[in-house]
Amino acid sequence: MNNPVLKVASYANRYLCLHRFNAVKNLPIPMWKTKNMEVEGIVKKTLMTLLVVLLAMSLFMAACSSKSNNDPGGSDGNNLKPSDGTVSEGEGESGVNKTGMPIVNEKYSFKIMVPGLLASPGEIRVYKELAQHANLDITWDIPAWEQYAEIKNLMFASGEYPDVIAGWGISKEEVITNGSQGIYIPLEDLIDKYTVNLKAMLEERPDVKRAITAPDGHIYSLPIVGVMPNTKEVMHINKTWLDELGLEIPRTLDEFYEVLKAFKERDSKSIPFSFIFKGSNNTHPSGFFGQFGRIDDFDHLVIEDRKVISTVVQPEWKEAIQYLHKLFREGLIDPEVFTHDKQQYQAKGMGDLVYGVTMSWDGYFPVGEENMKHYALLPPMEGPNGRKPVWRAGDPEIFPTMFVITSAAKKPEAILRWLDEFFLQGSVKDGPSEFYFGKEGVHWEKTEDGLFKTLNTGEDFKYEFGSITLPLYESREFQEKKYMEPESPTHYKFNEIQEAYAPYVYEEQRPLDYLWLSSEQEESLALIKADILKYTDDKMVKWIVEGGIEDEWDAFVERLHSMRLQEMIDVYQEALDAYYAN
């Protein structure tokens, strides 16, 4: 398959709070170097092709990154230059030039930690070239997700941390706490003085500025902004098995149960239904609960019609647990859903066909591109007594906590200038940024319809990022200009899946992903929330595996209230009311 314009690895989300750090699934991969749908197979044969949203750009930001004819890296000429095309002028604070290149006259070194990347940006040519132009020496620290939580805890306990922390896994709670303690520095004044693209975006998009502004009025973190699909996790079913058995795609949960039983009877080695209990928001069964009339989420708190509710004290949640126990008891759920991680989940699915039904961002993750040919989309199913299902809405357009600069940074303004050089991926007016997409006419072209389409770049254009989870901006205008090949997973996610799930996505019933809490609110919730979450999840696993929710339900609800559940809800409701009042 030739190169698509977009590949999206699923976004991990706010649910990666420090106390959970569920392994982040599919991270957004801006593909300036990678346009081949087989890139994951090229990089690592055991990985499958991940789905992507290519975060793009904005008409008003023509000052975007960098197209120089000079070649300091001795490469093929696809190089960078100062954002305004001039030599350095106006040395500012700490010897940082406010415009042009180099960013600093005397070499400046800093360290950036980004967990879970499949490849280091420090090995990517344009990142190396930008560092050379800017006179920066950048060390990339890329811990594995499995060790990230422990590393961060030890790091903050010791007071030894890098200059920058980026990527998924920075929670709002962390930003509030570390910002108030001076560990993460305020950025608003530096943005105003030292950036072009960031500053212009915040002026053009006051909604983004509001989303990244903490309750104390400071901006401690920078965002990813982009147009997202309308749903998170989705279900896929093994159509080959259905055809062999003469069965149709189930439309109700009763039919779903019968299909899973048929899958099990067909082959005892099959795994009728699998997901990851402690996975990301794209492999977790949270969405499945919506088929009983209410969605669930990692922290079991959702917004419904502007009211914060606890899902675990609702009768629909109880019904969902009872149903899942029935499936588990009869061997219709993978017994490893509570223990396997994303690599193990994927490894099983990419071999022989073993999964009947999966949950993932786009279907491709658990089974790979080749096995995906055997699967069909499974839309949400009718619940008990004909109840219409609901489904979790997609990730918000704004991810506010993707990049923080710590007090360890001696020249934070230099770091911001570096970031500003590639913050935008292009513009509707000028087309895709050379930094991400390469040269017009060589690596991409503009179609007669005014769309931006990638070309076959061949083996010499392996701009593999692994996952580059740094702040980026994509405008709605450019979203309409991106060409998605009809056979690409990206097209599938933004079209077939989006259309099929649209009737069930309930925008007013969603997680608390856009709320900021004050440091006082965070402090009051710290122990309450952690205790409630552990107690609830322990019970959830026990009841799915062993049953017993019927006998223990009343005591469970009473215990939650004694653990100050209502106090936690009230704090979030106060934050929600303040959000709508602004």
Side-chain angles (χ1 to χ4, degrees):
M1 179 186 297
N2 287 341
N3 313 315
V5 171
L6 303 165
K7 263 183 90 177
V8 189
S10 319
Y11 306 90
N13 44 45
R14 77 171 291 281
Y15 318 113
L16 290 173
C17 299
L18 287 178
H19 63 274
R20 293 185 67 91
F21 282 100
N22 302 308
V24 174
K25 40 124 194 189
N26 319 315
L27 302 172
I29 304 179
M31 307 307 289
W32 66 278
K33 279 192 173 183
T34 302
K35 304 297 183 301
N36 194 310
M37 289 304 304
E38 307 299 329
V39 61
E40 298 297 346
I42 293 172
V43 177
K44 192 174 181 181
K45 295 297 183 182
T46 59
L47 294 178
M48 56 14 102
T49 305
L50 301 173
L51 238 166
V52 244
V53 153
L54 196 72
L55 300 176
M57 33 263 138
S58 156
L59 178 61
F60 60 89
M61 302 200 184
C64 173
S65 55
S66 341
K67 307 163 186 152
S68 174
N69 293 322
N70 299 321
D71 189 4
S75 60
D76 63 3
N78 179 24
N79 304 305
L80 307 167
K81 69 176 181 180
S83 58
D84 61 357
T86 68
V87 297
S88 300
E89 293 179 359
E91 184 175 289
E93 301 167 19
S94 305
V96 177
N97 297 312
K98 293 185 177 181
T99 63
M101 290 289 170
I103 289 175
V104 289
N105 294 326
E106 295 185 10
K107 187 175 289 291
Y108 172 54
S109 301
F110 70 89
K111 182 177 182 180
I112 178 171
M113 181 171 73
V114 193
L117 301 189
L118 299 178
S120 171
E123 299 302 316
I124 304 303
R125 178 171 56 77
V126 294
Y127 274 91
K128 292 191 290 186
E129 288 182 0
L130 176 57
Q132 290 168 350
H133 277 285
N135 204 19
L136 299 174
D137 181 15
I138 305 170
T139 299
W140 294 85
D141 182 12
I142 307 174
W145 277 110
E146 290 74 17
Q147 287 82 47
Y148 185 49
E150 181 180 358
I151 289 172
K152 283 184 75 175
N153 288 337
L154 292 173
M155 182 175 70
F156 289 121
S158 68
E160 298 291 332
Y161 27 80
D163 304 85
V164 178
I165 301 173
W168 309 103
I170 305 173
S171 69
K172 286 183 174 178
E173 293 87 347
E174 173 190 337
V175 171
I176 290 293
T177 300
N178 290 341
S180 64
Q181 295 176 359
I183 297 173
Y184 297 164
I185 66 171
L187 302 175
E188 60 271 11
D189 290 341
L190 296 177
I191 291 171
D192 185 61
K193 293 178 182 178
Y194 286 93
T195 71
V196 174
N197 299 323
L198 272 165
K199 180 180 178 181
M201 185 273 292
L202 293 179
E203 291 173 350
E204 180 75 14
R205 293 287 302 271
D207 58 325
V208 176
K209 186 172 183 179
R210 182 174 71 169
I212 66 175
T213 301
D216 64 4
H218 289 302
I219 295 174
Y220 297 106
S221 61
L222 298 176
I224 277 180
V225 182
V227 180
M228 306 298 169
N230 68 347
T231 184
K232 297 176 186 283
E233 72 280 1
V234 293
M235 299 179 293
H236 283 80
I237 190 166
N238 194 316
K239 188 66 165 58
T240 297
W241 291 1
L242 286 176
D243 292 342
E244 288 177 4
L245 295 167
L247 299 173
E248 299 294 328
I249 291 177
R251 301 302 179 190
T252 70
L253 287 176
D254 288 340
E255 292 177 2
F256 184 67
Y257 167 70
E258 295 298 333
V259 165
L260 294 186
K261 284 205 307 180
F263 285 169
K264 187 68 176 177
E265 292 166 1
R266 173 191 170 278
D267 185 349
S268 61
K269 296 179 181 179
S270 71
I271 301 173
F273 182 29
S274 191
F275 48 84
I276 307 178
F277 181 71
K278 290 190 175 181
S280 72
N281 70 333
N282 299 309
T283 55
H284 190 270
S286 300
F288 193 85
F289 282 65
Q291 294 164 123
F292 293 83
R294 266 200 174 92
I295 64 169
D296 194 22
D297 193 49
F298 281 125
D299 57 10
H300 310 299
L301 293 169
V302 299
I303 297 168
E304 183 174 323
D305 299 324
R306 296 196 177 187
K307 296 293 182 184
V308 177
I309 67 168
S310 168
T311 59
V312 296
V313 296
Q314 309 300 326
E316 295 87 353
W317 193 84
K318 178 183 176 183
E319 287 181 282
I321 295 294
Q322 290 172 313
Y323 183 85
L324 289 172
H325 169 61
K326 175 184 176 181
L327 301 185
F328 195 92
R329 181 186 63 211
E330 299 188 26
L332 306 181
I333 291 180
D334 188 345
E336 296 182 338
V337 294
F338 301 109
T339 57
H340 64 193
D341 58 24
K342 63 177 184 177
Q343 287 82 12
Q344 293 164 328
Y345 180 45
Q346 185 185 63
K348 287 186 289 186
M350 290 186 67
D352 296 333
L353 286 178
V354 295
Y355 291 145
V357 176
T358 64
M359 297 198 74
S360 66
W361 172 256
D362 65 332
Y364 286 80
F365 173 73
V367 299
E369 188 169 2
E370 185 61 33
N371 280 351
M372 184 61 183
K373 298 173 183 177
H374 296 277
Y375 288 82
L377 182 64
L378 176 59
M381 295 168 283
E382 182 181 285
N385 302 316
R387 195 177 304 159
K388 181 182 177 180
V390 294
W391 205 258
R392 296 205 304 170
D395 287 318
E397 184 177 332
I398 305 164
F399 291 89
T401 57
M402 296 301 300
F403 189 95
V404 295
I405 300 179
T406 75
S407 58
K410 294 182 174 61
K411 297 182 179 182
E413 54 270 65
I415 297 172
L416 275 181
R417 276 220 55 208
W418 166 78
L419 174 65
D420 197 53
E421 288 292 323
F422 58 82
F423 178 68
L424 297 176
Q425 292 190 338
S427 70
V428 174
K429 178 181 177 181
D430 298 329
S433 164
E434 188 174 327
F435 189 90
Y436 290 106
F437 291 93
K439 291 182 174 296
E440 182 178 6
V442 178
H443 306 118
W444 64 272
E445 67 179 3
K446 193 170 185 178
T447 69
E448 293 181 357
D449 297 331
L451 305 178
F452 302 120
K453 179 180 179 180
T454 55
L455 303 174
N456 185 11
T457 52
E459 289 296 306
D460 59 346
F461 195 72
K462 295 179 181 178
Y463 296 120
E464 208 288 316
F465 268 86
S467 54
I468 176 82
T469 51
L470 297 177
L472 295 164
Y473 178 74
E474 170 189 55
S475 70
R476 296 183 183 96
E477 294 85 355
F478 193 85
Q479 172 71 16
E480 299 175 357
K481 297 290 185 180
K482 295 186 297 185
Y483 176 83
M484 292 182 284
E485 293 177 346
E487 69 272 21
S488 74
T490 305
H491 186 280
Y492 179 56
K493 178 69 176 180
F494 272 89
N495 290 273
E496 285 88 344
I497 292 178
Q498 188 152 296
E499 181 178 354
Y501 273 70
Y504 312 100
V505 174
Y506 186 21
E507 290 290 346
E508 286 300 319
Q509 191 181 103
R510 61 180 305 137
L512 309 177
D513 44 23
Y514 50 78
L515 295 185
W516 283 96
L517 300 181
S518 67
S519 56
E520 292 78 13
Q521 289 171 324
E522 290 289 356
E523 185 176 349
S524 69
L525 285 181
L527 293 179
I528 300 176
K529 187 174 181 178
D531 289 345
I532 287 178
L533 188 62
K534 184 179 187 309
Y535 174 67
T536 301
D537 283 356
D538 287 348
K539 284 292 188 181
M540 188 176 178
V541 173
K542 175 181 180 294
W543 287 333
I544 292 175
V545 175
E546 301 175 9
I549 191 172
E550 299 86 356
D551 297 332
E552 300 179 33
W553 176 254
D554 291 340
F556 169 70
V557 173
E558 183 178 348
R559 173 72 183 278
L560 286 175
H561 284 297
S562 72
M563 297 174 75
R564 300 159 66 188
L565 174 65
Q566 189 58 50
E567 182 178 334
M568 179 174 69
I569 292 173
D570 291 343
V571 170
Y572 280 110
Q573 187 65 53
E574 181 183 356
L576 181 64
D577 293 341
Y579 173 85
Y580 282 115
N582 292 331

